């Protein structure tokens, strides 16, 4: 059982204004967090396997946590002579967390020994400072050509340490004392992360109906990790001081190009391609090698509005095994996303919307199954998800109706069979269906009061694990109060 007791307090203060021709703003915030949740057994437990000797007579765990965060967000913006724009932002935050854990267990172990006390006491703390700066400049060289540059730097440091002590007292089945177990461990880790990137991009407007853009992004990252471990075990095998350190430097490049076309005053088409490498934080793997394609079309004709978008992503992550540097591992992810939607607004009082989205994802990863003789295999993951929706809004002077229906259908791996347990290959997916209709009515009871009443239904069906199927009925109601002069205009 557990008794949950947690809470937080948030405070924010901000100001915006204009100084020396610059638009600027400052936001300061502070957050306190505390958790006093306790875990315990209300009665003795035989465990998951009552046939063995292991038993729990008592179990208690207290895990108090206290933390606070301070953050500052400052921005400025200025346009000079309608040709040169300068925008900057700096975000700084500092978090400090202190925790303690005291856990005590009594019972019997697997060898049928009495455990009169198995006490763990852990104390620790962590700190995280973070700063991010963004500086963007845009120069409108001519009425058709615009050049922009965005520089971003990101820096954070994480440090933490903890001290663990154990005091275990046992007796054998005959009641004779067994040598006590004592342990005292100390660990400390520090991570320093530095990253900056620069994106330079040019846009050219050939005409009012066609424009292109071309850009290049450079990113550099430097990560350093160091720390130490000590083990003051009085029974032997002490580790007085075991230092750790590692540093990694990485660089990536990317090219971005795109276009914007306007064949008709009410029809716009956008497209872009991005190709390059992207880094992995806190891993030894090589950079991602990716190519992204995106396309979007918007059209508005009389009472109708249409949206069509498509996205294709190729993402490869080559790497080498740490255990066997001669072996290469490759993770290949192929993603396709297609979406279409339409809106019909014949009058101001009635709106009907509907759409469909299809998500296609295939992931193939080289794996090595551990064992006496390790075996090479492939892990496969599939998503084939179709999502449908339809919404309707009907508004009268004092009453408004809303209705919707949403449906998800993921076929997952389809007809692909799951390999036998002895195979080093893995095929995974989560085929499921999800139905979610909803309706809501809003009634204006008074100039200052609205009454909302609604109902939502969920039906989830899992193909592989029907035990997780569920249905949920969620009726709800609420009152909304309006104050001020704007409330007088609601009639």
């Amino acid at each position: 059982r557990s008794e949950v007791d947690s809470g937080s307090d948030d405070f924010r203060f901000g100001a915006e204004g204009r100084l020396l021709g610059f638009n600027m703003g400052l936001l300061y915030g502070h957050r306190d967090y505390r958790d006093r949740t306790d875990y315990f057994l209300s009665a003795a437990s035989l465990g998951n396997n009552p046939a063995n000797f292991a038993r729990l007579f008592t179990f208690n765990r207290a895990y108090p946590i206290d933390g606070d965060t301070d953050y500052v967000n400052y921005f400025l913006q200025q346009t000079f002579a309608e040709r040169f724009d300068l925008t900057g932002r700096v975000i700084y935050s500092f978090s400090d967390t202190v925790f303690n854990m005291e856990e005590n267990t009594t019972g019997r172990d697997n060898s049928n020994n009495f455990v009169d006390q198995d006490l763990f006491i852990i104390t620790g703390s962590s700190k995280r400072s973070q700063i991010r700066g963004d500086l963007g400049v845009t120069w409108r060289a001519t009425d058709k050509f615009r050049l922009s540059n965005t520089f971003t730097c990101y820096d954070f440091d994480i440090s933490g340490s903890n001290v663990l002590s154990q005091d275990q007292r046992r007796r054998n089945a005959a009641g004779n004392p067994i040598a006590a177990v004592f342990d005292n461990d100390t660990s400390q880790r520090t991570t320093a992360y530095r990253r900056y990137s620069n994106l330079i991009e040019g846009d050219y407007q050939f005409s009012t109906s066609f424009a292109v853009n071309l850009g290049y992004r450079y990113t550099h990252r430097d990560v350093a990790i160091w720390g130490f471990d000590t083990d003051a075990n009085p029974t032997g095998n002490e580790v007085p001081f075991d230092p750790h350190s590692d540093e990694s430097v990485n660089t990536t490049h990317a090219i971005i190009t795109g276009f914007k076309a306007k064949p008709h005053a009410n029809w716009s088409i956008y497209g872009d391609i991005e190709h390059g490498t992207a880094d992995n934080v806190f891993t030894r793997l090589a950079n991602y090698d990716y190519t992204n394609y995106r396309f979007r079309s918007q059209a508005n004709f009389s009472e109708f509005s249409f949206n069509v978008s498509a996205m294709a992503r190729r993402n490869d992550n080559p790497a080498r095994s740490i255990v066997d540097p001669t072996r290469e591992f490759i993770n290949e992810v192929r993603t396709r996303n297609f979406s279409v939607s339409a809106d019909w607004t014949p009058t101001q009082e009635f709106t009907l919307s509907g759409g469909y989205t299809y998500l296609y994802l295939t992931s193939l990863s080289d794996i090595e199954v551990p064992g006496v003789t390790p075996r090479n295999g492939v892990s496969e993951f599939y998503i084939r998800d179709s999502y449908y929706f339809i919404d309707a809004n009907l508004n009268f002077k004092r009453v408004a109706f809303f209705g919707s229906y949403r449906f998800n259908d993921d076929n997952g791996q389809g007809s692909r069979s799951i390999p036998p347990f002895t195979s080093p290959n893995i095929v995974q997916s989560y085929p499921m269906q999800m139905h979610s209709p909803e309706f809501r009515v809003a009634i204006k009871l008074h100039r200052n009061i609205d009454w909302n009443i609604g109902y939502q239904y969920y039906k989830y069906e899992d193909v592989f694990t029907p035990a997780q199927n569920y249905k949920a009925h969620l009726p709800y109601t609420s009152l909304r109060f309006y104050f001020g002069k704007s409330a007088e205009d609601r009639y």
Side-chain angles (χ1 to χ4, degrees), residues 9 35 66 74 105 180 317 332 339 343 358 454:
D9 300 298
D35 192 336
D66 291 282
Y74 172 76
T105 304
N317 188 201
E332 298 180 351
S339 180
D343 301 278
Y358 180 69

mmCIF file of all heavy atoms in Angstrom, residues 9 35 66 74 105 180 317 332 339 343 358 454:
data_model
loop_
_atom_site.group_PDB
_atom_site.id
_atom_site.type_symbol
_atom_site.label_atom_id
_atom_site.label_comp_id
_atom_site.label_asym_id
_atom_site.label_seq_id
_atom_site.Cartn_x
_atom_site.Cartn_y
_atom_site.Cartn_z
ATOM 1 N N ASP A 9 4.247 24.466 -5.429
ATOM 2 C CA ASP A 9 3.847 25.866 -5.476
ATOM 3 C C ASP A 9 4.589 26.541 -6.615
ATOM 4 O O ASP A 9 5.811 26.372 -6.763
ATOM 5 C CB ASP A 9 4.163 26.580 -4.159
ATOM 6 C CG ASP A 9 3.450 25.946 -2.972
ATOM 7 O OD1 ASP A 9 2.210 25.946 -2.965
ATOM 8 O OD2 ASP A 9 4.155 25.451 -2.070
ATOM 9 N N ASP A 35 7.499 15.851 -1.819
ATOM 10 C CA ASP A 35 6.821 14.556 -1.878
ATOM 11 C C ASP A 35 7.097 13.825 -0.571
ATOM 12 O O ASP A 35 8.261 13.639 -0.185
ATOM 13 C CB ASP A 35 7.330 13.740 -3.056
ATOM 14 C CG ASP A 35 6.455 12.519 -3.342
ATOM 15 O OD1 ASP A 35 5.766 12.051 -2.406
ATOM 16 O OD2 ASP A 35 6.455 12.040 -4.484
ATOM 17 N N ASP A 66 12.523 16.877 -1.729
ATOM 18 C CA ASP A 66 12.300 18.318 -1.758
ATOM 19 C C ASP A 66 13.088 18.907 -2.923
ATOM 20 O O ASP A 66 14.264 18.565 -3.126
ATOM 21 C CB ASP A 66 12.756 18.975 -0.458
ATOM 22 C CG ASP A 66 11.872 18.598 0.716
ATOM 23 O OD1 ASP A 66 10.782 19.168 0.835
ATOM 24 O OD2 ASP A 66 12.279 17.709 1.500
ATOM 25 N N TYR A 74 14.322 36.116 -20.839
ATOM 26 C CA TYR A 74 14.450 37.506 -21.302
ATOM 27 C C TYR A 74 14.502 37.523 -22.823
ATOM 28 O O TYR A 74 15.182 36.691 -23.440
ATOM 29 C CB TYR A 74 15.716 38.144 -20.742
ATOM 30 C CG TYR A 74 16.020 39.505 -21.325
ATOM 31 C CD1 TYR A 74 15.309 40.628 -20.924
ATOM 32 C CD2 TYR A 74 16.998 39.648 -22.308
ATOM 33 C CE1 TYR A 74 15.571 41.865 -21.470
ATOM 34 C CE2 TYR A 74 17.269 40.893 -22.866
ATOM 35 C CZ TYR A 74 16.548 41.996 -22.435
ATOM 36 O OH TYR A 74 16.803 43.220 -22.990
ATOM 37 N N THR A 105 12.922 -3.970 6.089
ATOM 38 C CA THR A 105 12.175 -5.178 5.772
ATOM 39 C C THR A 105 12.454 -6.238 6.824
ATOM 40 O O THR A 105 13.597 -6.393 7.274
ATOM 41 C CB THR A 105 12.571 -5.716 4.390
ATOM 42 O OG1 THR A 105 12.380 -4.701 3.409
ATOM 43 C CG2 THR A 105 11.738 -6.929 4.015
ATOM 44 N N ALA A 180 26.300 -10.301 10.653
ATOM 45 C CA ALA A 180 25.586 -9.147 10.104
ATOM 46 C C ALA A 180 26.258 -8.664 8.817
ATOM 47 O O ALA A 180 27.454 -8.863 8.602
ATOM 48 C CB ALA A 180 25.531 -8.029 11.125
ATOM 49 N N ASN A 317 20.849 4.814 -38.320
ATOM 50 C CA ASN A 317 21.748 5.035 -37.190
ATOM 51 C C ASN A 317 22.811 3.937 -37.162
ATOM 52 O O ASN A 317 22.670 2.940 -36.458
ATOM 53 C CB ASN A 317 20.944 5.043 -35.894
ATOM 54 C CG ASN A 317 21.782 5.456 -34.695
ATOM 55 O OD1 ASN A 317 21.448 5.164 -33.570
ATOM 56 N ND2 ASN A 317 22.882 6.137 -34.932
ATOM 57 N N GLU A 332 17.492 1.092 -38.915
ATOM 58 C CA GLU A 332 16.846 1.775 -40.025
ATOM 59 C C GLU A 332 15.382 2.030 -39.671
ATOM 60 O O GLU A 332 14.663 1.103 -39.308
ATOM 61 C CB GLU A 332 16.925 0.939 -41.307
ATOM 62 C CG GLU A 332 18.341 0.673 -41.792
ATOM 63 C CD GLU A 332 18.361 -0.167 -43.053
ATOM 64 O OE1 GLU A 332 17.272 -0.666 -43.437
ATOM 65 O OE2 GLU A 332 19.432 -0.322 -43.650
ATOM 66 N N SER A 339 -2.022 12.882 -44.440
ATOM 67 C CA SER A 339 -3.172 13.440 -43.735
ATOM 68 C C SER A 339 -4.000 14.286 -44.684
ATOM 69 O O SER A 339 -3.455 15.025 -45.512
ATOM 70 C CB SER A 339 -2.706 14.301 -42.546
ATOM 71 O OG SER A 339 -3.806 14.853 -41.863
ATOM 72 N N ASP A 343 -13.219 21.084 -44.187
ATOM 73 C CA ASP A 343 -14.152 21.826 -43.333
ATOM 74 C C ASP A 343 -15.242 22.439 -44.204
ATOM 75 O O ASP A 343 -14.945 23.013 -45.271
ATOM 76 C CB ASP A 343 -13.428 22.935 -42.561
ATOM 77 C CG ASP A 343 -12.320 22.411 -41.682
ATOM 78 O OD1 ASP A 343 -12.613 21.962 -40.571
ATOM 79 O OD2 ASP A 343 -11.149 22.442 -42.119
ATOM 80 N N TYR A 358 -2.924 8.688 -41.917
ATOM 81 C CA TYR A 358 -2.334 7.351 -41.967
ATOM 82 C C TYR A 358 -0.868 7.444 -41.581
ATOM 83 O O TYR A 358 -0.113 8.250 -42.147
ATOM 84 C CB TYR A 358 -2.459 6.747 -43.364
ATOM 85 C CG TYR A 358 -1.865 5.363 -43.478
ATOM 86 C CD1 TYR A 358 -2.463 4.280 -42.841
ATOM 87 C CD2 TYR A 358 -0.701 5.130 -44.208
ATOM 88 C CE1 TYR A 358 -1.930 3.004 -42.936
ATOM 89 C CE2 TYR A 358 -0.162 3.859 -44.310
ATOM 90 C CZ TYR A 358 -0.777 2.801 -43.669
ATOM 91 O OH TYR A 358 -0.236 1.543 -43.752
ATOM 92 N N GLY A 454 -21.883 17.145 -20.909
ATOM 93 C CA GLY A 454 -21.416 16.323 -22.015
ATOM 94 C C GLY A 454 -21.170 14.888 -21.603
ATOM 95 O O GLY A 454 -21.308 14.509 -20.431
#
